[in-house]
Amino acid sequence: MRRLPPLSAVRVFEAAARHQNFTTAGTELGMTQAAVSYQIKLLEERLGVSLFRRERGRVSLSETGQRIGPLVAKAFDDLDTAFGLARSSGEGVLTVSCSTTFGPNWLASRIGAFQLKVPEIAVRLHTSNALVDFARDDVDVAIRGGKGAWPGLCSHFLMRMPLMALASPEFLESVPPVRSPDDVMRLPRISPDDGWWQIWREQVGGAGADGAPSGIRMDTQIAEGQAAIAGAGIAVLNPVLWRLELATKRLVPVIDAVAYDPSDFWLVYPEHHRHSRKIRLFRDWMLETIAQEAARGVPAYYRQAEVGVPAEA
């Protein structure tokens, strides 16, 4: 009979030993720093030995912790590999999580090329604006917005998030001429309280919206874009995700001004799955597709910006 301590505490130790930081380990595991510290203390009491040194608010592995840390990490990698083999989908199904706009408006029209290139892998596209939890959700890779630094995840930069004020031609014909950001702010705007409007105004200029119509409010970019197409007002949208509507003139730029969300699009997946063949093939295809579109499209959209330095439109 194996004499194992509680696996929940062992899992916490593995993350804490890998990061040598209780707060970072807690972020990865969805726990507070105090909860991580408590689990480590329980494990140390069970073993009768200290696993970490605690000095001036910082922690580092003790001699015993240094000896067992790599062994525990390897054990968890072996467990993950074993259960991965047991999953019925195995390497034959790839589940991709992305936002409700990026999925339908960008990835869905391109994913067929990946299927033709790798026909033995079926792709399941899961669209949701909720942040995926790889430890709990049945997801292999995700397209995530952010800065690209998530504990326990490999991340690859895909593209920036440009923002433009877009509307239907019919709407623009029904309002006074729009020549400046101030003119935009005076007209009916869709989801005017959305944070993208503040980012757009701060980067392209323009006064506040005092006295401007309140506008309708939507929960998703998909809904905002459809409302703009229907003539409900001006929406601030990511033009990369509305290229078909722009090409067919269902949406047009209100003014030629581009802002950028501080977050970028990244392809992410768990570090311990980095050797998975299906993930590697999908990653390489995504990065190749992005590179090809960057060569044909607007380079600023696909160039990672320096921190604090806006890219040129």
Side-chain angles (χ1 to χ4, degrees), residues 26 44-45 62 98 104 109 116-117 173 199 223 225 230 239 262 277 313:
E44 290 176 329
E45 291 176 351
S62 68
C98 53
S109 63
L116 289 174
K117 186 175 183 179
E173 290 173 1
I199 294 170
R277 177 177 178 269

Side-chain angles (χ1 to χ4, degrees), residues 101-117 123 125 159 239-244 282 285-286 288-290 292-294 296 302:
T101 306
F102 192 94
N105 285 24
W106 195 92
L107 188 55
S109 63
R110 295 164 173 80
I111 199 66
F114 175 74
Q115 293 274 225
L116 289 174
K117 186 175 183 179
V123 178
L125 191 58
M159 66 180 78
V240 176
L241 305 184
W242 296 89
R243 283 190 169 183
L244 177 60
F282 183 76
W285 171 80
M286 276 289 292
E288 180 183 354
T289 300
I290 291 290
Q292 292 173 350
E293 297 201 4
R296 299 193 302 265
Y302 300 97

Side-chain angles (χ1 to χ4, degrees), residues 184-202 207-220 224 227 232-237:
V184 173
M185 299 302 289
R186 295 188 190 102
L187 293 174
R189 289 175 292 124
I190 298 170
S191 299
D193 297 329
D194 188 277
W196 272 6
W197 273 113
Q198 181 178 350
I199 294 170
W200 184 86
R201 183 176 61 80
E202 289 175 349
D210 293 343
S214 59
I216 61 175
R217 287 163 174 76
M218 299 290 185
D219 292 332
T220 66
E224 291 169 356
I234 302 173
V236 60
L237 303 171

Side-chain angles (χ1 to χ4, degrees), residues 15-86:
R18 181 159 30 88
H19 296 293
Q20 296 203 44
N21 184 293
F22 287 2
T23 301
T24 304
T27 300
E28 176 181 327
L29 299 172
M31 303 170 62
T32 65
Q33 183 271 342
V36 170
S37 181
Y38 178 73
Q39 289 291 326
I40 295 297
K41 182 180 178 181
L42 288 180
L43 186 59
E44 290 176 329
E45 291 176 351
R46 177 72 174 265
L47 298 174
V49 64
S50 295
L51 299 174
F52 288 90
R53 301 188 188 95
R54 297 162 175 83
E55 300 173 348
R56 298 179 181 179
R58 301 179 62 182
V59 298
S60 60
L61 285 168
S62 68
E63 183 178 345
T64 301
Q66 291 176 22
R67 286 203 309 269
I68 72 171
L71 297 175
V72 173
K74 183 179 184 303
F76 272 93
D77 286 343
D78 289 344
L79 282 172
D80 183 72
T81 300
F83 284 107
L85 292 173

